[in-house]
Amino acid sequence: QVQLAESGGGLVQAGGSLRLSCAASGMIFRIKTMAWYRQAPGKQRELVASISSAGSTTYADSVKLRFTISRDNAVNTVYLQMNSLKPEDTAVYSCNSFPNWAPWGQGTQVTVSS
């Protein structure tokens, strides 16, 4: 079965950086478009960034030029480098395939203090 394990979250001051990782198993990772999503308290889950099997990327307007998504097919892992973090980036970050979702992992909490 598919398993997704996110890590790398934490508490950081505004302007700081974090790198999230997501290890996937139980899927043919290299052919999947993968994505990072986030959900802030009281808000709906939103798509943050995606990366296709060929490496093409898309970003939400709110994170463009600050976040970078990447992948390493050799270790079935997708990454999210987050720079210039803002308090409004505070959320639980999760990865999944796109557009069809596998069962969600537990996510990783990112908290940005002002």
Side-chain angles (χ1 to χ4, degrees), residues 47-76:
L47 176 66
V48 174
S50 68
I51 184 166
S52 73
S53 58
S56 298
T57 58
T58 65
Y59 296 93
D61 287 343
S62 59
V63 307
K64 277 181 182 176
L65 303 181
R66 300 189 298 123
F67 290 11
T68 302
I69 189 171
S70 61
R71 66 192 295 161
D72 186 343
N73 292 338
V75 291
N76 288 4

Side-chain angles (χ1 to χ4, degrees), residues 81-100:
Q81 177 67 42
M82 307 187 295
N83 299 328
S84 302
L85 283 160
K86 304 175 180 180
E88 50 264 44
D89 295 319
T90 295
V92 175
Y93 285 71
S94 301
C95 74
N96 213 317
S97 53
F98 177 87
N100 299 313

